[in-house]
Amino acid sequence: MKHFPYTLSKEVEKAIKAGKAIVALETTIISHGMPYPQNFNTALEVERIIKSNGSTPATIGIIQGEIKIGMSEEEIEYFSKSKNIHKVSRRDIPFILSTKKNGATTVAGTMILSDLAGIKLMATGGIGGVHRDANNSFDISADLQELTNTNVTVVCSGPKSILDIGLTLEYLETMGVPVIGYKSDFVPTFYSRKSKYEVDYNFDQPKEIAQSIAMKDNLSLKGGVLVCNPIPERFSIQSSVIETAIESAMEKATEHNITGKKLTPFLLDQITKITKGSSLKSNVKLMLNNADLASKIAISLNKISL
Ligand code: PSU
Ligand code: MN
């Protein structure tokens, strides 16, 4: 057992004691992935969906150097509005804690803190991955490395379309991370339902996904599972439309010399502007859809491990 101190919200504490299913949620998507007020409304709606399925949401972040497993509405509102929240991945965690700062956790950061608290599953929009010009920039999201190390399942809508999907999948294969499609033979790409790349396994039932996660845990196989849940058809964006937006966003990033952890938030923001808000709407809808699936898998998984 690890004993690093973290603070559980009352709700999460109750759920742990009662052995209820819990779904962890990241906060980078709130503080760096969407503008206000869409970020705030989405974060609350995500929690409502998870609760309505009988699971307990745990929004995770760091407030003044304190790890919060489960944040209050006021805290989420603060994370939605403040410009003073660091984007926290694996390497940042100790420093944000030691300097008592505020941190919004990425997928990688959230996986680490979920694992600390014994939470097995999290939901996000799209995971980070290998960026398109990675052969020059070396830009590969720490999310991928975390999936090889930490036993937390991540439910997403695939790697974000701003990435090189093929290289991201090669990386995951090398590192032994299973890529599961929910009702899909192909890897979705965040704004679009489909890519030319096949998933490793396609499952139609949350229960089947839970069974394979439980099997991995029984074997003590280290690392996470990536569950890819395609964006609902009516909110998806044609890849030719989104491609044009991504290309001009990337040109602007190069022009302004945006690199490192600033790149993903910059691209998402630019794409929202170019598509006049339609990419943001898609991002919101896919996030809600992922919360729904994650909470169903969490409930099945909880039954198996009882
Ligand atoms: N999904 C979204 N919006 C986001 C993210 C995911 O719909 O903003 C965040 C996640 O926190 C993910 C991060 O871990 O983007 C990836 O950032 P980077 O490429 O710098 O690793
Ligand atoms: Mn990066």
Side-chain angles (χ1 to χ4, degrees), residues 178-245:
V179 177
I180 294 179
Y182 179 61
K183 296 185 180 169
S184 178
D185 286 324
F186 296 94
V187 177
T189 63
F190 199 57
Y191 302 120
S192 306
R193 286 178 61 78
K194 222 175 144 177
S195 66
K196 60 181 177 186
Y197 303 98
E198 285 179 23
V199 296
D200 297 324
Y201 305 96
N202 171 4
F203 290 123
D204 288 344
Q205 301 292 332
K207 190 178 163 195
E208 295 173 301
I209 300 175
Q211 281 164 340
S212 55
I213 297 168
M215 191 56 79
K216 186 190 75 66
D217 286 347
N218 281 340
L219 293 167
S220 301
L221 283 176
K222 197 172 76 136
V225 172
L226 190 66
V227 177
C228 295
N229 184 26
I231 182 173
E233 180 80 58
R234 61 190 183 285
F235 304 118
S236 68
I237 308 178
Q238 237 187 334
S239 31
S240 55
V241 173
I242 202 71
E243 267 310 307
T244 321

Side-chain angles (χ1 to χ4, degrees), residues 163-183:
L163 303 165
D164 187 314
I165 308 298
L167 293 187
T168 300
L169 294 169
E170 289 294 348
Y171 190 101
L172 290 171
E173 183 185 1
T174 303
M175 303 309 264
V177 179
V179 177
I180 294 179
Y182 179 61
K183 296 185 180 169

Side-chain angles (χ1 to χ4, degrees), residues 131 139-141 260-261 264:
H131 280 262
D139 193 346
I140 300 175
S141 173
K261 66 204 274 185
T264 296

Side-chain angles (χ1 to χ4, degrees), residues 19-33:
K20 278 181 69 180
I22 302 174
V23 176
L25 299 158
E26 58 142 316
T27 34
T28 290
I29 189 171
I30 300 175
S31 298
H32 302 277

Side-chain angles (χ1 to χ4, degrees), residues 49-92:
I49 290 172
I50 292 171
K51 282 183 203 164
S52 74
N53 285 332
S55 197
T56 301
T59 298
I60 292 180
I62 299 172
I63 301 180
Q64 289 172 9
E66 197 181 326
I67 297 173
K68 299 276 187 179
I69 311 289
M71 282 166 54
S72 67
E73 192 172 319
E74 291 70 35
E75 289 167 339
I76 292 175
E77 186 170 17
Y78 181 63
F79 269 48
S80 303
K81 287 179 172 168
S82 173
K83 296 279 166 245
N84 188 24
I85 318 276
H86 295 263
K87 177 175 165 184
V88 173
S89 192
R90 169 176 278 269
R91 69 171 178 183
D92 311 290

Side-chain angles (χ1 to χ4, degrees), residues 122-133:
M122 65 167 289
T124 183
I127 55 150
V130 182
H131 280 262
R132 290 184 184 196
D133 61 340

